C-alpha cells in the first residue's frame, strides 16, 4: 500500500491550513505537562513534512498557525448568506437595532476561550464593580467544570445550551465576546460582524482580518478588555456598508482564494456579457 505522489499525479495542489494543532497539543490535558512542548514540536515537524510532500502551495487562514514552506497568509473563508441577510436588515433598521446585550457561543472547551473569558470578566468586575450577565451558548466535554467555576466565582453567566448561530433568537444580541486564542480565524466572529454586531476579541493573529471592521474592538490585556466591553455595551454598532458586508461573503472569499492560490479566475457569465 502506498500513497500517490500528489505533486506528480496532480498539476497543482493547494493546501489550506484551517486548524492550529500546535496550540491544542501545547494545552492537551491528556499529555503530561512537561511533555507537551516536545509533543507540539513533533506535530510541527509532521505538519511541515506533510505539506511539503503533498502541496505545491499552502494558504494559511492567519498567522496563528506555524510557518509552512511555500505558504502565504490569506483568509479565504466566508459566511452563509443568512448572516449577510441579517446584517443588511439591521443596517436599515431603526435605532436601537439590538435589544439584548452580550453573549458568547462556542464549544464548551477551556481551550476555546473559556479560561480567558472567566479571567477577563473577573477582572472587569474588579475594575468596574459590575457583573456582566453573559448568555453562553454551547455544549462540550468541559461544560461541567466551566459551570462549576463560573458558579463558584459568581459571574452570573446564563448557560443556554447548543444552538445554530443563525437562529433568530440570537439576532438581537448586540455584542459577541470572543476571547479565544486557539482559533485560526474564528467563524463565529465573522458571522457576528456579518449580522452587524460588535465583536470584542483579543489582538491576536487569528483576528487580524477582523480589525478592518469598525465594529471590532481588540484588546491586549484585561484592562483593555474591560474598556472595550463597556464601550460596546454602551454604544450602537455602526451600520455595515455593502462593501464591508461583501468582504465577509463566500463570493469575496473565493476571489481571495484565486488570488492567494495564484490561480487565474474564470470570468462569470455576467462578466463575459458586460
Amino acid at each position: 500500500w502506498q500513497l500517490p505522489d500528489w505533486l506528480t499525479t496532480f498539476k497543482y495542489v493547494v493546501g489550506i491550513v484551517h486548524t492550529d494543532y500546535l496550540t491544542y497539543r501545547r494545552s492537551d490535558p491528556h499529555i503530561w505537562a512537561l511533555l507537551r512542548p516536545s509533543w507540539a514540536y513533533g506535530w510541527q515537524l509532521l505538519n511541515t513534512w506533510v505539506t511539503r510532500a503533498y502541496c505545491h502551495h499552502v494558504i494559511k487562514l492567519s498567522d496563528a498557525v506555524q510557518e509552512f514552506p511555500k505558504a502565504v497568509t490569506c483568509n479565504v473563508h466566508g459566511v452563509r448568506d443568512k448572516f449577510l441577510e441579517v446584517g443588511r436588515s439591521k443596517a436599515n433598521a431603526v435605532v436601537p437595532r439590538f435589544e439584548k446585550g452580550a453573549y458568547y457561543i462556542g464549544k464548551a472547551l477551556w481551550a476555546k476561550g473559556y479560561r480567558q473569558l472567566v479571567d477577563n470578566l473577573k477582572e472587569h468586575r474588579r475594575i468596574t464593580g459590575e457583573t456582566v450577565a453573559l448568555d453562553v451558548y454551547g455544549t462540550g466535554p468541559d461544560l461541567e467544570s466551566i459551570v462549576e467555576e463560573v458558579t463558584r466565582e459568581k459571574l452570573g453567566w446564563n448557560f443556554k445550551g447548543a444552538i445554530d448561530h443563525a437562529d433568530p433568537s440570537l439576532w438581537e444580541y448586540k455584542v459577541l465576546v470572543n476571547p479565544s486564542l486557539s482559533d485560526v480565524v474564528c467563524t463565529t466572529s465573522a458571522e457576528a460582524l456579518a449580522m452587524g454586531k460588535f465583536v470584542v476579541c483579543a489582538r491576536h493573529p487569528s483576528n487580524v482580518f477582523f480589525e478592518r471592521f469598525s465594529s471590532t474592538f481588540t484588546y491586549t490585556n484585561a484592562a483593555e478588555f474591560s474598556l472595550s466591553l463597556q464601550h460596546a455595551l454602551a454604544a450602537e454598532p455602526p451600520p455595515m456598508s455593502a462593501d464591508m458586508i461583501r468582504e465577509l461573503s463566500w463570493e469575496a472569499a473565493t476571489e481571495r482564494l484565486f488570488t492567494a492560490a495564484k490561480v487565474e479566475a474564470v470570468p462569470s457569465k455576467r462578466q463575459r456579457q458586460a
Side-chain angles (χ1 to χ4, degrees), residues 3-4 15 18 46 84 117-118 148 150 163-164 166 177 199 208-209 235 267:
L3 289 173
H18 294 258
L46 177 62
L84 304 177
L117 194 57
V118 167
E148 181 181 340
V150 168
I163 194 172
D164 187 333
V177 183
V199 171
V208 168
F209 179 80

Side-chain angles (χ1 to χ4, degrees), residues 179-247:
S180 177
L181 302 177
S182 62
D183 294 304
V184 179
V185 170
C186 184
T187 304
T188 54
S189 292
E191 293 167 348
L193 287 171
M195 289 190 284
K197 306 175 187 294
F198 280 132
V199 171
V200 176
C201 58
R203 185 164 298 164
H204 184 263
S206 63
N207 294 319
V208 168
F209 179 80
F210 304 129
E211 291 179 2
R212 69 188 69 185
F213 298 94
S214 58
S215 296
T216 301
F217 293 99
T218 60
Y219 60 88
T220 59
N221 54 48
E224 290 182 4
F225 169 86
S226 179
L227 286 173
S228 296
L229 182 57
Q230 289 178 69
H231 185 82
L233 289 173
E236 182 73 16
M240 290 278 283
S241 69
D243 289 341
M244 286 290 97
I245 291 176
R246 188 182 184 281
E247 276 287 282

Side-chain angles (χ1 to χ4, degrees), residues 119-161:
D119 292 345
N120 284 330
L121 285 175
K122 284 170 58 178
E123 184 65 11
H124 173 77
R125 183 174 61 186
R126 187 193 68 79
I127 294 172
T128 66
E130 298 177 353
T131 298
V132 176
L134 188 74
D135 289 347
V136 178
Y137 294 88
T139 58
D142 294 338
L143 180 61
E144 184 177 346
S145 63
I146 292 169
V147 172
E148 181 181 340
E149 180 162 344
V150 168
T151 303
R152 183 173 64 251
E153 297 292 343
K154 299 180 181 179
L155 290 177
W157 296 7
N158 305 305
F159 291 90
K160 301 284 192 174

Side-chain angles (χ1 to χ4, degrees), residues 75-92:
N75 176 22
V76 295
H77 270 197
V79 303
R80 281 181 281 163
D81 287 345
K82 186 62 179 179
F83 297 107
L84 304 177
E85 292 169 6
V86 174
R88 294 187 186 101
S89 66
K90 287 294 184 182
N92 297 317

Side-chain angles (χ1 to χ4, degrees), residues 33-106:
L34 291 177
L35 294 179
R36 290 174 192 167
S38 300
W39 180 236
Y41 182 66
W43 272 87
Q44 180 177 345
L45 294 177
L46 177 62
N47 293 342
T48 300
W49 175 80
V50 169
T51 54
R52 189 186 299 275
Y54 292 104
C55 300
H56 293 99
H57 192 60
V58 174
I59 298 174
K60 303 189 302 176
L61 297 186
S62 78
D63 286 328
V65 298
Q66 69 181 73
E67 292 298 320
F68 287 93
K70 303 169 287 186
V72 297
T73 301
C74 183
N75 176 22
V76 295
H77 270 197
V79 303
R80 281 181 281 163
D81 287 345
K82 186 62 179 179
F83 297 107
L84 304 177
E85 292 169 6
V86 174
R88 294 187 186 101
S89 66
K90 287 294 184 182
N92 297 317
V94 176
V95 175
R97 292 184 291 274
F98 299 90
E99 298 177 358
K100 298 180 182 179
Y103 74 110
Y104 176 68
I105 182 170

